[in-house]
Structure formats: C-alpha cells, structure tokens
Amino acid sequence: RDMQAGFTVLPVGGVPVLARKRRCRSNNNTTTTTTTTAAAASSSISSFPVVCPPRHDLDKMLESSLAWERELFPRFYNEEQHKIGFEKMVDKKKFCSIDVEAVLEQPMWKRFFSNKKLLKTANDNNN
C-alpha cells in the first residue's frame, strides 16, 4: 500500500486539534487519526479571550429582535420571556467572538501555528 500522509486541523470540542490524514491509494479510503496537541489538551472554548459587543449595541440588537418577534409572531410574543432569554445568551457570551489577536499572541498558539509540517501541508493543499 502506498500511504500519503498530511495534516489537518479538526475542531474537537471547539478546540483545534492537529490530526494526521492518511489516504490509501489502493482503495482511496481516507482515515484520520487524531494527535492531540498540548494546546488542544489544555484548552476549551471558554478559556479563549473574547471580544463582546458594548452594551448599547446589545440593547439595539434586543430592540430589533423584539420588533421582529412582535411583527412575525404576534400570537407568541412575550417581551419579558424574550428579554430573559436574550440576557441568558449575553451571560453565556453568545454574541462574543474569539479575540484572534490575543489568542495568536499566546505562546502555545504561536508554536502550534509555526509548526512547519502544518504550514507545509496547508501550502500543499492550496496548490
């Protein structure tokens, strides 16, 4: 069997995990074996720094959401329940994004993304 190896990044529990892909040329089956990196093993999505919208933007989003619900679902409209649900999503940081710049400054992610095998595979896949 002629095996062709490459690396890919798979999201496992919201965390990027380095995985090795192997394609067997005889029957074109692809198997993926996961190699957990130190970064992935010690991280979870909640451990990433995040950037969240300011309160005035959240308030505008809530008002817009209330208006749409009132217009589209008048029979089911419940402003108080809607506000409670919205605030739960705010508390869970559902409107936030990962602060990519801050993440990329962390040493473990610098090492992960500077992995020569990972970069070579990414370049090979783009050609």
Side-chain angles (χ1 to χ4, degrees):
R1 289 186 193 177
D2 187 8
M3 297 293 273
Q4 186 179 30
F7 289 94
T8 187
V9 178
L10 299 174
V12 176
V15 177
V17 174
L18 187 62
R20 181 180 299 264
K21 288 175 83 171
R22 293 186 176 156
R23 174 168 286 133
C24 179
R25 288 192 181 160
S26 63
N27 58 10
N28 208 26
N29 287 338
T30 301
T31 58
T32 303
T33 55
T34 304
T35 306
T36 305
T37 63
S42 64
S43 298
S44 72
I45 195 70
S46 62
S47 67
F48 285 105
V50 294
V51 178
C52 300
R55 187 68 225 189
H56 67 273
D57 287 347
L58 291 169
D59 290 341
K60 287 178 187 177
M61 289 169 54
L62 174 59
E63 289 306 314
S64 177
S65 180
L66 286 167
W68 278 108
E69 185 173 322
R70 195 172 26 248
E71 184 176 327
L72 296 173
F73 306 106
R75 293 182 59 205
F76 303 105
Y77 179 73
N78 182 326
E79 184 172 341
E80 193 58 35
Q81 283 299 110
H82 192 105
K83 286 181 177 181
I84 290 169
F86 186 87
E87 290 306 322
K88 284 181 182 178
M89 289 193 298
V90 169
D91 291 343
K92 291 180 181 179
K93 301 189 183 303
K94 297 288 185 180
F95 302 109
C96 301
S97 300
I98 292 176
D99 185 344
V100 176
E101 290 178 10
V103 169
L104 294 178
E105 290 301 315
Q106 296 175 349
M108 72 176 173
W109 290 108
K110 282 183 177 182
R111 283 190 307 274
F112 178 79
F113 287 112
S114 67
N115 180 317
K116 287 185 171 104
K117 288 181 182 178
L118 179 66
L119 293 174
K120 180 183 179 324
T121 302
N123 286 335
D124 291 346
N125 289 339
N126 289 333
N127 293 331

